[in-house]
Amino acid sequence: MGFFFIFITSAITCLSLLSSGKFFNNTILYKQEKNFFELLIFGIIFLSFLALVINFVFSLNPIFNLVFIIFPIFYYIFFQNKYYKNELIKISIISALVVILISLENTNRPDAGLYHLPFINILNENNLIVGITNLHFRFGHISILQYISAIFNNLIYGSNGILIPPAIFFLSLIGYFFHNLLNKKEDNLIQYFSFVFLSYCLINMNRYSSWGNDDFASILFFICIIETYKLYNNFNLKALSVLTLFCSFAFLIKTFFIITFLMPLYLFLKNYKNIILIKILNPINFFTLFFIFFSLFKNFLNSSCFLFPLEFTCLFGFEWSLTKIAINNISDISEAWAKAFPDYIYKNLNFSEYISNFYWVSTWLDSHFKIILKNILILIPIILIYNFFIKIKISNSQKKFCLEMLVLLIILCTMWFIKFPLLRFGEGFLVTLVTFFFIALNIIKINFINLKKFKIIFISILITVILIKNFVRIYDNFEYKYVDYPWPKKNSYSNENKLIEYTSIINSDEIIYYEPKVENNLCMYGKAPCASIGVNKYFFKNNEMRINKDKFFIFDKFVIINK
């Protein structure tokens, strides 16, 4: 019964997202021709925006969240049901895949329990909280994906509904590539990119428990690369606006992906002589600007920084503002962790010293670099196998695009290496760099057999292997019953998935926030707002912090008294 309920929940969610994507396409995108998977992606973007804006005033609670189900389904039934038979078949397939992917799984460890799930919990119980980063610094790193998850906790699904959207988003993104492979009208380079990116995602990103916010930003970056290529020789201002929207959503998923805006900027500068500037003021760009504005304003109210924890984006004159010392400490330790500080043997350098003058490189080469190689090297056999079976010709225009993009990708990878050389931050850049590098080497000319159906055969084999692996996992764990069986574990990482125990932090007879009773426990999804014990101890004074709760207009506000 539990598996069937996951299927029904996934189907309703998928229909809601599809309908929302159609509404977005009809009202904002000028009724552009978009396929099923693109409409799902646009539905996720549109509902994320609504959730973000609404949460300024209202909590995304189970009663209110019913509107995200009722209105989209009403719109679909009465206005957008022209292709309902074909779409319901696709929804059923996606829902079945969701059941296979998430049943008897864990949520991402430890980030989901540390701040993803606790923040979703806050969204479900509170409107925007000013200074929430004072309670838990990682709440400054929140992704827009936490908002799309939060709105599917409703009276029909219960709180487990928050676990569905990541799976549908993943399937929508890889469905974009799969659609390109099946579309015979797409040119050879689009099919090549789609094959390589899809194969990589299926091999290295196929576990629900491994998905953090970063994976989705990387996959969306792959899509941005393909959309950039489409625009290179067939420039269209509306399509450029859509590309900018995709880059914006990647940025709102992961702040580091702000550098992806170099792609639409590159296309704009290349074609600016042919652009009528007044046409830039179109609904797509207005929507994107409003989306970014509300996100940055939310960041400011949460942390006093527009881009947390970049000091130059912070305003320090507000009661909820973190100190410059705290911001710099958070920035240094985040960068040091990305540069393998936990693996640093000698420990004679502090965080700031370690990340200076490339002292970190030798430690990084012995740890993170090996992990990166292990993941990225899978691209070489994928590319070689493709070139063995598929004969394609690269035109001079395509070569020019690839060489120009190679330069841009080298810039992006250099920025990644200097600041945050962790695989999950730069996976999209590295995969794309290797893909373009092989084109630049003319490896694409090596061909012995021209088997046009090879792409579908190879991808079908990968999908079959992934399905078998998940069926085996489900079979092996089928008898182990736990709380909320067979949903992914969100209450705790224990075998029983029991709700953890919390300690109430009280001031003037009011509960200010909660902490897990056991220090090494994460907050998970239970009581909100919650902060893991000692989570801020590296960034403030050594004496015990005292957090006060107050009001700021219609918002609750957290401030640190002894900062």
Side-chain angles (χ1 to χ4, degrees):
M1 185 64 183
F3 296 97
F4 181 70
F5 187 61
I6 294 177
F7 176 85
I8 295 299
T9 302
S10 302
I12 297 173
T13 303
C14 197
L15 181 59
S16 171
L17 293 171
L18 176 66
S19 179
S20 300
K22 289 189 172 190
F23 177 81
F24 184 77
N25 186 42
N26 291 335
T27 56
I28 305 295
L29 300 183
Y30 301 107
K31 297 185 179 180
Q32 296 184 23
E33 186 178 345
K34 299 297 179 183
N35 63 57
F36 175 84
F37 299 105
E38 289 174 314
L39 290 173
L40 282 177
I41 295 170
F42 286 125
I44 289 168
I45 292 173
F46 181 57
L47 290 187
S48 299
F49 170 76
L50 291 182
L52 173 68
V53 174
I54 289 169
N55 187 243
F56 274 80
V57 181
F58 302 106
S59 66
L60 302 175
N61 61 76
I63 298 175
F64 184 88
N65 287 343
L66 287 173
V67 303
F68 298 106
I69 296 294
I70 295 172
F71 284 104
I73 292 179
F74 177 88
Y75 178 73
Y76 183 87
I77 292 173
F78 290 98
F79 301 103
Q80 293 293 324
N81 61 0
K82 183 177 179 180
Y83 306 106
Y84 77 94
K85 289 183 179 179
N86 183 41
E87 289 169 346
L88 290 180
I89 290 173
K90 291 177 180 177
I91 287 173
S92 298
I93 293 172
I94 285 182
S95 301
L97 291 174
V98 170
V99 174
I100 296 168
L101 284 172
I102 78 172
S103 294
L104 307 180
E105 261 283 16
N106 278 306
T107 47
N108 179 258
R109 187 185 300 219
D111 285 355
L114 186 60
Y115 66 102
H116 297 175
L117 291 170
F119 193 79
I120 294 171
N121 206 165
I122 291 172
L123 295 176
N124 288 150
E125 297 186 13
N126 304 87
N127 65 321
L128 185 144
I129 298 177
V130 174
I132 190 66
T133 309
N134 287 319
L135 185 64
H136 188 326
F137 84 94
R138 283 188 175 87
F139 289 153
H141 298 301
I142 284 304
S143 163
I144 192 64
L145 295 181
Q146 273 70 75
Y147 286 83
I148 192 66
S149 291
I151 64 174
F152 288 101
N153 173 5
N154 57 51
L155 293 180
I156 300 172
Y157 301 173
S159 61
N160 285 321
I162 67 174
L163 304 169
I164 294 290
I168 294 178
F169 191 29
F170 175 78
L171 293 170
S172 304
L173 294 172
I174 66 170
Y176 171 94
F177 304 122
F178 196 72
H179 180 270
N180 286 342
L181 290 179
L182 294 177
N183 188 356
K184 296 179 180 179
K185 294 180 181 179
E186 296 290 10
D187 79 4
N188 52 6
L189 209 52
I190 288 178
Q191 295 223 341
Y192 172 71
F193 291 144
S194 296
F195 176 84
V196 174
F197 296 152
L198 177 57
S199 298
Y200 182 85
C201 293
L202 291 175
I203 292 171
N204 280 345
M205 300 179 180
N206 60 60
R207 286 289 302 273
Y208 180 84
S209 58
S210 71
W211 298 339
N213 295 327
D214 321 273
D215 295 304
F216 297 104
S218 291
I219 302 174
L220 198 53
F221 177 76
F222 297 152
I223 292 177
C224 291
I225 289 291
I226 293 176
E227 294 298 315
T228 300
Y229 169 68
K230 290 179 181 179
L231 281 163
Y232 186 77
N233 289 320
N234 188 23
F235 184 79
N236 178 290
L237 190 56
K238 292 178 184 177
L240 179 65
S241 298
V242 172
L243 171 63
T244 305
L245 175 61
F246 282 154
C247 292
S248 301
F249 200 62
F251 159 59
L252 297 180
I253 292 173
K254 199 69 180 179
T255 304
F256 185 72
F257 279 75
I258 191 174
I259 60 180
T260 62
F261 283 110
L262 288 174
M263 288 188 292
L265 177 62
Y266 156 74
L267 289 169
F268 178 83
L269 295 176
K270 179 177 180 291
N271 297 277
Y272 78 95
K273 291 182 180 179
N274 302 319
I275 296 175
I276 301 174
L277 293 180
I278 192 65
K279 290 189 175 181
I280 295 177
L281 304 176
N282 60 55
I284 309 172
N285 287 334
F286 274 119
F287 175 84
T288 302
L289 286 173
F290 276 117
F291 205 166
I292 293 174
F293 169 79
F294 278 107
S295 296
L296 296 182
F297 188 47
K298 178 266 300 181
N299 291 347
F300 166 70
L301 291 177
N302 281 352
S303 66
S304 75
C305 302
F306 292 100
L307 294 175
F308 182 83
L310 298 180
E311 182 188 334
F312 70 91
T313 72
C314 302
L315 301 177
F316 296 101
F318 294 87
E319 191 179 7
W320 70 88
S321 298
L322 293 167
T323 64
K324 288 186 179 181
I325 293 175
I327 290 292
N328 288 325
N329 284 343
I330 292 170
S331 179
D332 287 347
I333 193 174
S334 299
E335 185 175 340
W337 239 252
K339 293 176 176 177
F341 185 83
D343 301 311
Y344 179 52
I345 299 174
Y346 303 106
K347 305 297 182 185
N348 60 330
L349 299 175
N350 60 32
F351 296 127
S352 179
E353 293 167 340
Y354 176 76
I355 62 178
S356 303
N357 300 317
F358 294 97
Y359 292 132
W360 53 272
V361 172
S362 58
T363 304
W364 179 84
L365 288 172
D366 286 335
S367 54
H368 288 349
F369 181 64
K370 293 178 181 178
I371 297 172
I372 292 169
L373 278 183
K374 180 182 175 182
N375 283 269
I376 300 300
L377 287 179
I378 191 63
L379 286 169
I380 296 176
I382 291 173
I383 293 171
L384 292 178
I385 290 171
Y386 185 91
N387 285 284
F388 184 87
F389 285 101
I390 303 293
K391 184 177 182 179
I392 59 175
K393 295 180 180 179
I394 303 296
S395 67
N396 290 332
S397 174
Q398 290 173 326
K399 288 179 181 177
K400 183 181 178 184
F401 167 77
C402 292
L403 290 174
E404 290 178 6
M405 283 303 299
L406 189 61
V407 173
L408 180 60
L409 288 164
I410 290 172
I411 294 172
L412 293 178
C413 288
T414 301
M415 296 169 71
W416 162 80
F417 177 75
I418 291 174
K419 288 302 294 179
F420 291 101
L422 195 63
L423 175 65
R424 61 192 181 94
F425 286 123
E427 196 165 13
F429 308 142
L430 294 171
V431 169
T432 311
L433 177 66
V434 173
T435 304
F436 277 85
F437 180 73
F438 273 92
I439 296 176
L441 288 178
N442 289 323
I443 194 72
I444 208 136
K445 291 182 178 179
I446 300 174
N447 172 256
F448 302 96
I449 303 172
N450 188 21
L451 182 60
K452 293 183 178 180
K453 293 183 178 180
F454 163 75
K455 294 171 289 189
I456 302 303
I457 293 172
F458 184 82
I459 295 299
S460 297
I461 292 172
L462 285 181
I463 292 173
T464 302
V465 171
I466 293 168
L467 290 176
I468 291 173
K469 186 177 77 169
N470 278 280
F471 278 126
V472 170
R473 174 183 54 78
I474 292 172
Y475 177 80
D476 289 341
N477 294 281
F478 191 79
E479 299 298 328
Y480 296 100
K481 307 296 181 180
Y482 55 83
V483 176
D484 291 336
Y485 176 96
W487 290 86
K489 296 176 181 177
K490 75 178 192 310
N491 303 322
S492 69
Y493 290 128
S494 65
N495 292 333
E496 299 82 13
N497 192 33
K498 290 182 179 179
L499 190 69
I500 65 171
E501 295 183 356
Y502 297 88
T503 299
S504 301
I505 307 301
I506 299 175
N507 186 12
S508 301
D509 297 324
E510 179 187 8
I511 296 176
I512 305 299
Y513 64 96
Y514 299 92
E515 289 181 345
K517 272 193 175 181
V518 181
E519 183 168 356
N520 61 357
N521 271 0
L522 304 174
C523 283
M524 305 300 292
Y525 190 97
K527 293 187 177 182
C530 176
S532 298
I533 298 174
V535 72
N536 287 335
K537 63 183 178 182
Y538 294 108
F539 313 115
F540 303 99
K541 294 179 180 179
N542 290 327
N543 55 308
E544 184 179 350
M545 288 192 313
R546 187 160 64 88
I547 298 175
N548 191 32
K549 185 178 179 183
D550 205 344
K551 276 288 184 180
F552 181 76
F553 295 106
I554 63 171
F555 309 112
D556 286 336
K557 177 181 67 177
F558 283 108
V559 296
I560 298 176
I561 300 301
N562 58 338
K563 61 185 177 182

